[in-house]
Structure formats: structure tokens, C-alpha cells
Amino acid sequence: MPVFSYVTDAMVQSNVPQPTAERQRELASTLGVGGPTTGERLTVDRLREEIDADPDDSFVSMGEAIRNDLSGRLDADLLAAALPEIVAQVGRVPEVREAGIPGGKTGPEALYRGLVEPAWRVYHHLEDVGFFESVEANLPAFTPEHIAGTARELVRAEPLSTTLEECGFDERERMVLMMNVANNDTRLSRWTPTREIPEGVEFEVEYVPPLQQRAMGGALLWVQALDEHLWRKEILITDAILDDVRWDTKAMLGGLYLMALAAHDIAAGADGSLTDAQLTAALTAGTAVTIVNQEELMQDAFWITEEKRKPSEASGREEELPWQ
Amino acid sequence: MAIEDDKAIKAASDTIVEETELGYQVFNAPDEAVLHQTDTDRIPRYDVTQEMLDESGEDEESWLMFSKNYEAHRYTPCDTITKDNVGELELEYTMEIGANSSMEGSPVIVPGDPPVMYQTNGPSHVKAIDPREGDVLWSYTFPAPEDAVLCCDDNNRGVAVWKDKIYMTTLDSGVQALNRYTGEEEWYASTADHAEGYSATWAPIVWKGMLFTGSAGGEFGVRGFHCAYNAETGEELWRINNCPEEEYVGDSIEQSGGTNWMTATFDPERELLYYNVGNPSPDFNGTVRPGPNKNTCSTLCVDPHSGEVQWAHQESAHDIWDYDSASQRMIIRDLDIDHLDYSGDVVYNGGKTSWTYTMEPETGKLLVRGQPMTQQINMMTMVPHVEEERDYVMMPGLLGGNDWQPPTYCRETGLAYHKTLNTPHEIYWRNEEYRPGEKFWGGIVEVEPDEEVVPDDYNGHISAIVAVDPATGKVEWRDWIDSDRYLWGGTMSTASGLLFAGTQNGDMIAYDAANGERLWEYDLGDKAVSGDPVSWYDPGTEKQYVAIQVGGSGFVGRGPRGDQLAVFSLSA
């Protein structure tokens, strides 16, 4: 089921995700604020005015624990270098969409892969230093309470919002990212922290990476796969699919950026700019966005049903078949 | 000689195959291999050469590998039986095989005077048969271990033959080479530890002294592979994991699944190997294995000399419906795809997705995705968790579409013929309680969902035989086959434009391959015909023969067990 409708207004330059009124009401309800009035579109500023300004104590203590746990293990220079590079890749998303399907006679040229190169470097570093294990150990599962708390902290945290704006996400897109976190508690709850997978399940739990690693690594793998997928399946690919790819990829880069930003803040020690609560929110939101949008990308661009495919010049579509 | 007096057949007959909570297990198998020789002198002594294998597709007197030729066409150039005289096709004999086990295989026919048939069935049992008389010349039963666990039955789908040897995969994930004249053991190689869930049930292939074989156990959390052996000595030449480590998050690669549980296809002109890759593990809980899960549910193309992967075409990225891509690939030469202005060879297959795929052979680029062969309802949507109040009945079900059933390509019609299922399945996912070695889905599967949740659009036909044009993807004709059982087994076509297929209702059918008209039918009884038809011409008798194994198979909808080999013939 699509989470967002898309506006096709000529005033909008490309398919910008449009939060539906229902989704805005859902977000408002999660945050405990008034919903949008008729014709109103919720904004982060409007939400910030209405919610309690004091941070959640549990978010403070979780952030503090993660900082303490990872103190001295992260490479501040590597992370500092990666952050603007990720931002630069967010900025490249429109040109990649413009290119559409990678060229190449015997295999795809690198197009989408470039978008995640800086984030891969961050991921490998975080994996090497045990970042994901530490974060998973100190954060709760995606309970409705934790998700609501994260959403509230995202609204409160002006630095996070400003950073995303600088990263290339406009107001509407930031709201959509917020909703990806706040309006998906059931969906996110299926992504269980590894430590909470029941004892003795049907697979080897020791082979299941920490939740945040699955989120971040999964997002990277999906974007990385786009070159080959779009090239190999070119006969099925429509502009609508490519538009969905554009947003899903951009959103995942936003989530990856939040993860990298949080890691850098920890590495920066006293020079960090996020509060402990904001750190917790950045990690949770980054995880949530990468999860939600990798699932969206999977459904939008990889699971290409008859209804979604570019019609074949030779065989047409399913409805032409005599089923009876 | 009565089959009761054949020690190897008796050993196979005494072996009990039971569905247990772990999957399928074999009990009361012999502790050691059992060989019974009856009349080995009747087998002509000469090598099956590489040249014979290369020319197998053009030779009307033989059927030298699982799907007749390296390109896997299941097509005989023999044209003694025609559309005009197929009505005169008669049952030459039926033969009791002596094992009430899975009957999914393709016999191999080595030409000679007499020809020799090598016929296998579960559990890891093979015979040399004089197909003129239906006499067993030797028989062999492999000692299947009780702790081997099988997802879906104790199948064995056939042998490879080369020089003086035949090669059979074994339920303990091995390859057993036997002297084809005597049935005596030549070498054995274990490809993986069956205690970890690995097994083997397909027919291997041999090319220039290299034997190619895969892996099974995708429902047991294994890591799929393909490997090559020296066919003379059993020395392993190379081995590759089907799923690349760099495409997985952390240690999730260790239980990636992605097995290769059907016979590979080989392109002798390009010297490239093509094979199917199965589902990721666990089946339905994708959250523990994020990403596309390459190269599961794919066609994999590899270099036969090194195992180096050339390309992969994935049919179901991050699969959560068990849409492993199971059936054997085909290579179709000089195909004209007019709407693409393409003329050349293609790789082709049908999937559990019910789509067919026509691919460029050197890059794997998708040229044509065919029309759905069967119904697609609620397809490729998220599987609900058990705690969600959402019914989820999907079509195709987790057995396809086109599951393992090997299709045929008829050069006369230019069409491929698929056996397909059209069955709604209901699934949910959860974290299931686990017991070591137990088959797991990571969820609940209802193969017979309650009527009220079956989609209204379901047409009620459980299966179909479908003709597809690989150049356009069009479904040219379809014969719905109704039953309370599933349709298993393969198809075969002939140079005279006939299509042969057995059905789950016990019928053997010859179609006009051009339009699907049934030209001949034979009632083989109440057992499902789950084998794959083969055909050969015997100059000694001046007859064209068609043979097929009769009996159930599979873990669902298989019908009562049978143990017959039916051989039909028509004089030239």
C-alpha cells in the first residue's frame, strides 16, 4: 500500500512525495498535537510550537550510554570527511534520476553506486569498531513509545532539522522523513533487535547482525543494486518507477546521513553539537528511515508486477489473457 | 526374475520414507550399498564419448542426459510417431520398479544392441534396464543415512553418463560414480555435510570430463553452492558459493540459502554454464537478511573451468514467498525477436513467479518477460506477520508457477511447454521455534486455505500445461488440468510436432504442439504421472519408444505412491 500520494502539479519540479492529510493527522496524533485544519499542511515549525520543549529523560540516558560505550573507538576524521561527501551525493540524486537507466553494452555503468560510496566507507568503519553492537545494546526495540519519543525529539531538535535542510531536504521532504519514523510503528516493530529474537528460532541468531547494521547495510545494498537491476530489467522500467527510485534513494541517503552524523558526534567528544537526546533520536530516526525506505524501494522498483511494468511491445499485459 | 529376488530393489523397497517434523527422512535403508547383478553381459561395452554427448540432441537413438542435450530441450529428432499415427501408439509394457518412492526422474538411454536404460528413483536407487524387454540387468541402492533431512521428498531425478560410468547424486549430498556395465562403485564424493541440512536429488551433467553438481537444503539454513568434479577420479576441481559475501550484511551470508537444486544447462559454443538458484533463508522473515539477497532466485551464469560468476539474473529480489527459480534453463539458438530487432541465442526459463524470462546469453540482460502463465493475485506484496489481522492468500503459491518441472522446447513450433501450478497459498511469517535440523519456513503455510479467504478471482483450475513463445513471451495456448493433486513432472516434444506430458490424474497425453489439441491419451491408472517423458528410436526393433515413470512425488498434493515405469512404442 503506498504511504504517500504524489503531486503532479507543474509547480513542483519533480515527483515530490506529498504527505496525505490522513498521514499528517496520524503524525499529529503520535506527537500529541492538534491535527491539520482544512487546507493546512503541517510543518516542523508548527509542530515544534506545540510540543513540550523538555527532552525525554530516557533519550538522554540512552544517548549518554552510547557515547560512553563508544568513546575513543570512532575515527572522527574519517566521519568528518564522509559527511559532506554524503551531502554531495544527496545533491547528485536529481542528475542520477535524469540519467535514469545506466548505460552500458555488456553491463551497467556505475550510476547509482556512486551515491552510496561515502556511506559505505562510514558503514565499514562502524562495523569494524563495533558501533552497531553498541547502539543495539543501548536502544530499545521499535515500540510505539520509542518511536513517538523519537518523533518528538526530531521535532524539538532544531540542529537535526537544520542539518537535513542543509543536506538538501526541503520542508515537505523533511516532513515525509518524519512520518516515515512516526507513522510506521507496526512496520518497524517487525524489525526486531537481534537480542530480542526469541530463543531457539528457526535460524541461527548468531548470524543475524544487529538491527542498526541490518538497516544501514540493507539500504546500502539496495541502492548499490540499482545499477544492475535497472540495466538488466530495462524492458520493464517506467518513468514512474524511476521517480520512486529517486525519492526512496534520497530518503535512504538522509537516513544514512543521520547515522553518520550521530557517529561523528560521538567521535567528536566534547566538540559534538548534539545533545544526548538528539543523538538517540538521530540514531533511531536514521535506522527507521533506512528500514522504511529500503522496503519502499523494494516494492516500488524491484517487485515489478504486471500492473507496474512497462508494457511489452510483443505481448501486452495480463488482462489480455483468457484466464477462464 | 521377480523383483522380490533382487537384493538392491528389495533394499530400496524396504526403505521407508516418512514425513517427520524435520521434513522427510529415510528409515530402514541398508547400512551399506547393495548391488545386484542379473545379466550385466547384455550391456554393450563401449564408451559414451564426448562427441556422443555433444551430438545427443541430434541423435534419435539416445537420450544421454537429463534433458536430452546440453541446451536442455527435452526434444527428440525422432519422427516415427506423428500427429497422424500417434493414435496407434501402444503400451509396450509397464514395469514394476520396486520402490514406493518419489518418481520424478528422466531415464537415460544409451544406444546399442540392446540399448540400455539407466533409471533412478528415490531413495538414491538406480537400475540398468534392457528397455526392449523390461529386464533389470543390474540394480544398486545407495545407503541413505537416517539423519539426512529432505525438504520435499526423497527424489532422484536421473543420472549423467560418460565413458564407462554413470553418476548419481545421493540423498546425503554426495555423488556416486558407478561402472555402467556392472553397477560397481567407482568413486564417491561428498559435496557437503548432510547433517547441516544439505542433500542432493537432481541429475548432474558431464562435459569434457568435468561433472557439475549443485546443492539443496534451502529450507534448512544452508549456504548454496555449485561445484565441479573430475569425472574420472572424483577429485573436486572448483566450488563456488552462489551468494556473494559482499552482497550480504554481516554474517547473514552464513545462512544465505541460494541453493542450486536442479540440473545445470551448458552452452558448448560459449563454454558457459547456466543454472537455477533457489530461495534465501529463512523463507519468509526477510528482516534478518536485508538487501536483495543476491543471487537467490536467479539464473546464474558461470565459467565451467573456474566457477567464476559471469552474471546473474534475479527473478525475485529479497524473496519472501519461496519463489526460488527452480526449473532447468534452456539455450535456444538463433532466435529472432522481431520487436527488439534481435537475432541470436538466448537463455530461457519459466519461474515460480509464473513469468518466463528470455535473456541475452553473455550478459544476462532481460530481453523478454513473458505473459503470466497462470494467475497472479496478491503477488509480490509484503507477507503479514502472524500478529497482523490480515489474510494473505497469494498466487502463484510457493510452488509456482513453474517449479522444478522441466519444460521442453520444440524446434518445429518454436514454443516452450511448461507444466505449471495455479494454486492459492496462504502464508504468514513469524519467528518459529526451532529444533535442530528441522525444516523451517519462518512462518505458517496453508496450502489449502479456507474457502472464504481464497480470492474471488481465482478460476479454480489447479494446474495447466502452457505453451509460450520465447521470442514474444506470449502464451500461445493453455490446457487447464483439474484435479485434487498437483501437476508435477516434465514435458517432451518431438520433431513431428508432438508434445508428451503425464498428468497427476494418471494420464499420458500427446498434444499437437502447435495448438494444444489432445491427439492421444492413455490411462495409466490412479497414480500421478510425475516423471519426465523420454523417447528414443531402436533400430533393432524398428520402433520409437516413449518412457515415463509413474508415481507421486513432492510434499504436497502428490497423490498415492506408485512404482511403475511405462514404456510405449510404435513401429516405424
Side-chain angles (χ1 to χ4, degrees):
Chain A
M1 180 184 298
V3 175
F4 305 106
S5 63
Y6 288 89
V7 291
T8 54
D9 193 312
M11 298 292 288
V12 181
Q13 291 186 335
S14 62
N15 276 13
V16 176
Q18 169 79 342
T20 63
E22 182 187 348
R23 288 277 158 176
Q24 292 185 62
R25 282 193 293 275
E26 195 178 340
L27 172 64
S29 172
T30 300
L31 293 170
V33 302
T37 56
T38 304
E40 183 195 17
R41 188 168 59 80
L42 287 182
T43 65
V44 176
D45 289 342
R46 144 93 144 78
L47 295 172
R48 190 176 294 135
E49 288 169 7
E50 292 195 36
I51 65 168
D52 182 0
D54 295 329
D56 185 324
D57 288 344
S58 66
F59 273 59
V60 174
S61 59
M62 285 186 278
E64 188 177 11
I66 291 168
R67 281 193 201 278
N68 291 338
D69 202 13
L70 287 167
S71 175
R73 288 156 63 180
L74 290 159
D75 184 335
D77 292 340
L78 182 151
L79 294 165
L83 285 171
E85 292 184 46
I86 296 173
V87 173
Q89 295 304 329
V90 174
R92 284 190 59 240
V93 169
E95 75 181 59
V96 170
R97 167 62 189 94
E98 190 66 26
I101 296 173
K105 189 165 177 57
T106 58
E109 295 167 351
L111 184 62
Y112 292 85
R113 274 169 283 183
L115 295 175
V116 285
E117 278 178 10
W120 268 122
R121 286 200 296 280
V122 173
Y123 170 86
H124 290 309
H125 173 57
L126 299 184
E127 184 180 36
D128 289 344
V129 301
F131 175 88
F132 298 114
E133 286 79 0
S134 174
V135 172
E136 187 184 65
N138 287 292
L139 292 183
F142 279 118
T143 60
E145 296 75 25
H146 184 60
I147 288 168
T150 299
R152 281 195 297 273
E153 201 57 49
L154 282 175
V155 172
R156 286 188 199 107
E158 200 159 354
L160 290 177
S161 185
T162 303
T163 297
L164 283 172
E165 186 177 0
E166 290 168 358
C167 197
F169 290 85
D170 63 22
E171 165 70 28
R172 190 199 310 271
E173 290 173 329
R174 294 200 301 279
M175 283 300 293
V176 171
L177 290 183
M178 182 95 64
M179 291 176 184
N180 281 359
V181 178
N183 294 353
N184 281 299
D185 55 354
T186 300
R187 181 176 185 174
L188 289 167
S189 71
R190 304 303 174 217
W191 287 67
T192 312
T194 304
R195 66 171 186 277
E196 293 186 16
I197 295 174
E199 194 70 27
V201 289
E202 73 278 13
F203 46 85
E204 296 286 349
V205 179
E206 66 178 296
Y207 296 145
V208 179
L211 171 61
Q212 288 74 15
Q213 184 177 4
R214 282 182 271 147
M216 192 172 183
L220 291 165
L221 287 172
W222 281 110
V223 178
Q224 177 175 280
L226 281 166
D227 282 338
E228 186 181 314
H229 172 68
L230 297 173
W231 178 85
R232 202 174 293 286
K233 305 286 176 63
E234 185 172 6
I235 61 159
L236 307 177
I237 305 298
T238 63
D239 279 342
I241 289 173
L242 292 172
D243 287 339
D244 288 339
V245 166
R246 185 200 69 81
W247 166 248
D248 293 331
T249 301
K250 183 173 180 179
M252 276 190 280
L253 286 172
L256 293 166
Y257 181 81
L258 287 176
M259 298 291 281
L261 180 75
H264 176 258
D265 205 78
I266 297 167
D271 294 332
S273 59
L274 300 178
T275 66
D276 289 338
Q278 289 166 354
L279 177 74
T280 301
L283 290 168
T284 305
T287 303
V289 168
T290 49
I291 286 174
V292 168
N293 284 95
Q294 68 183 273
E295 289 192 342
E296 289 295 306
L297 179 71
M298 174 174 78
Q299 295 171 78
D300 291 337
F302 284 80
W303 296 353
I304 306 175
T305 57
E306 282 298 285
E307 295 75 20
K308 206 182 287 181
R309 71 164 287 180
K310 184 178 179 179
S312 166
E313 292 174 37
S315 66
R317 287 184 188 271
E318 176 193 359
E319 54 264 29
E320 297 172 20
L321 289 175
W323 290 121
Q324 304 301 321
Chain B
M1 186 186 71
I3 63 168
E4 304 86 72
D5 298 326
D6 185 312
K7 289 182 297 182
I9 292 177
K10 186 171 189 313
S13 300
D14 289 345
T15 301
I16 301 163
V17 183
E18 286 187 355
E19 188 168 9
T20 70
E21 60 186 13
L22 304 180
Y24 279 87
Q25 289 180 273
V26 290
F27 299 101
N28 203 37
D31 295 331
E32 297 178 347
V34 180
L35 171 65
H36 191 103
Q37 296 170 316
T38 307
D39 189 0
T40 57
D41 291 342
R42 210 187 300 181
I43 301 177
R45 261 59 172 174
Y46 70 91
D47 281 354
V48 172
T49 64
Q50 183 58 47
E51 186 179 4
M52 290 173 68
L53 295 175
D54 288 338
E55 297 301 318
S56 175
E58 312 305 320
D59 181 12
E60 63 180 28
E61 297 179 19
S62 69
W63 192 285
L64 289 178
M65 60 188 83
F66 177 69
S67 284
K68 181 82 164 90
N69 59 353
Y70 284 120
E71 290 87 347
H73 288 173
R74 308 193 66 81
Y75 166 92
T76 176
C78 187
D79 60 0
T80 301
I81 307 169
T82 67
K83 293 178 188 176
D84 290 334
N85 66 19
V86 68
E88 299 163 27
L89 184 62
E90 292 185 342
L91 184 69
E92 180 90 11
Y93 58 86
T94 58
M95 179 180 164
E96 197 176 350
I97 298 298
N100 278 307
S101 183
S102 171
M103 302 291 282
E104 294 187 352
S106 289
V108 155
I109 306 291
V110 177
D113 187 18
V116 179
M117 172 189 286
Y118 296 97
Q119 177 269 330
T120 72
N121 50 263
S124 305
H125 175 76
V126 58
K127 302 178 180 69
I129 297 168
D130 176 349
R132 288 180 184 164
E133 309 296 335
D135 292 340
V136 177
L137 307 179
W138 59 255
S139 59
Y140 173 89
T141 299
F142 181 84
E146 288 189 1
D147 57 346
V149 288
L150 317 163
C151 75
C152 309
D153 211 340
D154 66 330
N155 311 306
N156 192 285
R157 300 193 176 101
V159 300
V161 58
W162 182 66
K163 292 188 174 176
D164 59 350
K165 297 180 183 63
I166 61 164
Y167 307 87
M168 175 176 70
T169 59
T170 57
L171 288 175
D172 63 345
S173 191
V175 178
Q176 179 66 59
L178 300 172
N179 183 296
R180 78 175 186 88
Y181 309 129
T182 65
E184 290 164 336
E185 294 178 342
E186 295 278 356
W187 57 259
Y188 168 82
S190 172
T191 64
D193 185 357
H194 69 269
E196 294 179 11
Y198 290 97
S199 58
T201 56
W202 53 89
I205 61 170
V206 175
W207 177 73
K208 290 191 176 176
M210 288 189 283
L211 177 140
F212 302 103
T213 189
S215 49
E219 271 64 51
F220 300 99
V222 303
R223 187 175 180 186
F225 61 86
H226 196 86
C227 51
Y229 286 85
N230 181 320
E232 188 65 49
T233 65
E235 174 197 3
E236 184 175 306
L237 301 175
W238 54 257
R239 167 183 295 251
I240 58 160
N241 291 314
N242 296 328
C243 299
E245 193 164 339
E246 64 273 16
E247 293 287 350
Y248 283 73
V249 175
D251 290 338
S252 63
I253 186 67
E254 300 297 338
Q255 53 189 357
S256 62
T259 57
N260 157 226
W261 56 273
M262 274 298 285
T263 303
T265 301
F266 187 72
D267 184 346
E269 294 181 10
R270 291 180 176 77
E271 296 195 358
L272 289 174
L273 194 66
Y274 304 90
Y275 59 85
N276 62 296
V277 182
N279 58 282
S281 298
D283 289 62
F284 303 142
N285 180 0
T287 69
V288 298
R289 48 171 174 82
N293 305 137
K294 290 182 176 180
N295 297 314
T296 59
C297 304
S298 294
T299 298
L300 206 58
C301 171
V302 306
D303 180 337
H305 301 285
S306 65
E308 185 182 351
V309 175
Q310 307 299 299
W311 56 260
H313 172 269
Q314 193 171 38
E315 295 168 16
S316 178
H318 191 80
D319 177 76
I320 50 175
W321 315 278
D322 197 28
Y323 286 161
D324 44 351
S325 179
S327 69
Q328 193 179 15
R329 276 55 185 147
M330 289 179 183
I331 296 158
I332 300 172
R333 305 285 183 199
D334 301 323
L335 188 69
D336 292 323
I337 305 179
D338 294 338
H339 71 281
L340 298 178
D341 198 22
Y342 178 94
S343 183
D345 299 348
V346 300
V347 178
Y348 171 83
N349 75 287
K352 276 189 177 181
T353 58
S354 219
W355 284 309
T356 56
Y357 306 90
T358 304
M359 295 159 283
E360 204 281 324
E362 289 171 5
T363 66
K365 187 149 185 168
L366 183 64
L367 299 169
V368 178
R369 190 179 82 178
Q371 292 174 319
M373 293 185 285
T374 58
Q375 289 187 275
Q376 294 176 332
I377 300 173
N378 297 327
M379 188 189 182
M380 288 191 162
T381 54
M382 298 295 281
V383 176
H385 189 269
V386 286
E387 292 173 0
E388 285 178 57
E389 292 180 1
R390 175 162 68 98
D391 295 321
Y392 182 61
V393 178
M394 64 178 195
M395 294 185 70
L398 69 157
L399 301 173
N402 190 162
D403 196 320
W404 66 271
Q405 304 98 316
T408 178
Y409 175 72
C410 180
R411 295 179 203 167
E412 273 57 44
T413 62
L415 303 178
Y417 302 88
H418 302 262
K419 280 185 166 179
T420 60
L421 295 172
N422 193 53
T423 52
H425 287 165
E426 184 177 20
I427 58 175
Y428 300 90
W429 74 271
R430 64 178 176 182
N431 288 319
E432 280 185 312
E433 191 178 341
Y434 171 71
R435 277 161 288 194
E438 181 175 355
K439 175 169 69 176
F440 68 84
W441 301 103
I444 299 169
V445 179
E446 294 289 350
V447 295
E448 293 182 5
D450 292 339
E451 203 165 306
E452 59 265 28
V453 298
V454 172
D456 292 340
D457 294 342
Y458 177 43
N459 66 13
H461 298 300
I462 197 171
S463 60
I465 295 174
V466 185
V468 177
D469 183 342
T472 63
K474 280 185 180 173
V475 171
E476 295 293 341
W477 59 259
R478 179 191 291 108
D479 185 20
W480 294 110
I481 299 184
D482 294 324
S483 178
D484 57 357
R485 305 172 188 165
Y486 285 14
L487 178 64
W488 298 119
T491 57
M492 178 196 76
S493 59
T494 75
S496 52
L498 291 170
L499 171 70
F500 285 88
T503 76
Q504 67 272 54
N505 299 320
D507 299 319
M508 184 69 172
I509 303 173
Y511 292 92
D512 181 334
N515 56 27
E517 181 187 352
R518 294 187 180 200
L519 300 177
W520 171 86
E521 293 182 53
Y522 193 94
D523 182 358
L524 283 162
D526 66 338
K527 307 297 193 296
V529 184
S530 302
D532 323 316
V534 301
S535 183
W536 69 100
Y537 180 76
D538 184 346
T541 61
E542 297 184 338
K543 291 179 178 177
Q544 180 179 355
Y545 295 85
V546 176
I548 194 161
Q549 298 185 159
V550 181
S553 69
F555 74 100
V556 60
R558 70 181 177 209
R561 293 284 203 190
D563 69 336
Q564 300 288 313
L565 173 72
V567 178
F568 301 89
S569 70
L570 185 71
S571 296

